[in-house]
């Protein structure tokens, strides 16, 4: 279930934030920008959007991983009973930053993926 929350939230944020951030970097009509000027502005917008959405959604990914890898012996009680229980225990045991363990790799790969996919998609959509 946390994976559904994560994917839906991240998709919503990409859709709603990308155009707003892009309009900040491209305040004039998009036809004024072409070539590399358009691509770097769209890439920065995409990277900022992905960094922001990943930073907000990453704790749900951590919780999903912890629940999925809870390998207790047969007949024993599982370590986490619900998503909320996993969130509370992680927050209490490891602190707030415990929810962001390993976030660096996810942030960097997400930003690179966004820099390559969203501007190219935008350029194809713009030219068709």
């Amino acid at each position: 279930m946390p994976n559904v929350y994560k994917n839906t939230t991240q998709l919503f944020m990409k859709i709603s934030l990308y155009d707003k951030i892009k309009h900040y970097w491209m305040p004039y009509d998009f036809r004024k920008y072409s070539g590399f000027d358009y691509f770097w502005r769209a890439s920065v917008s995409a990277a900022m959007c992905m960094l922001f959405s990943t930073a907000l959604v990453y704790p749900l990914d951590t919780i999903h991983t912890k629940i999925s890898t809870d390998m207790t012996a047969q007949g024993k009680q599982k370590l986490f009973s619900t998503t909320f229980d996993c969130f509370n225990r992680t927050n209490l045991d490891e602190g707030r930053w415990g929810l962001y363990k390993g976030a660096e790799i996810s942030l960097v790969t997400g930003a690179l993926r966004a820099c390559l996919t969203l501007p190219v998609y935008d350029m194809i959509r713009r030219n068709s």
Side-chain angles (χ1 to χ4, degrees):
M1 197 64 167
N3 206 19
V4 173
Y5 299 146
K6 177 188 104 104
N7 290 337
T8 329
T9 308
Q10 199 163 27
L11 181 65
F12 171 74
M13 291 189 68
K14 278 188 223 174
I15 292 169
S16 63
L17 285 179
Y18 177 62
D19 284 333
K20 290 179 182 174
I21 294 173
K22 189 173 71 172
H23 288 302
Y24 174 77
W25 285 98
M26 292 187 254
Y28 306 111
D29 188 20
F30 70 89
R31 291 178 200 92
K32 182 178 182 205
Y33 307 100
S34 63
F36 185 72
D37 187 36
Y38 178 83
F39 188 76
W40 83 262
R41 289 173 189 266
S43 293
V44 168
S45 303
M48 288 176 66
C49 173
M50 183 59 81
L51 288 173
F52 185 69
S53 65
T54 303
L56 283 174
V57 173
Y58 192 77
L60 293 173
D61 196 26
T62 304
I63 290 168
H64 176 257
T65 303
K66 285 186 177 226
I67 290 174
S68 296
T69 58
D70 186 11
M71 300 291 221
T72 53
Q74 193 76 325
K76 290 190 177 181
Q77 185 178 0
K78 290 209 174 246
L79 189 59
F80 306 111
S81 57
T82 63
T83 303
F84 189 69
D85 179 43
C86 181
F87 178 81
N88 277 342
R89 286 190 187 189
T90 304
N91 197 16
L92 291 174
D93 294 343
E94 301 174 20
R96 287 194 181 133
W97 295 111
L99 294 168
Y100 288 96
K101 280 186 179 175
E104 300 86 11
I105 297 294
S106 181
L107 290 170
V108 170
T109 56
L112 288 175
R113 187 174 57 242
C115 284
L116 296 174
T117 56
L118 289 175
V120 171
Y121 171 71
D122 220 15
M123 289 173 70
I124 291 170
R125 186 178 66 179
R126 187 178 90 170
N127 292 329
S128 59

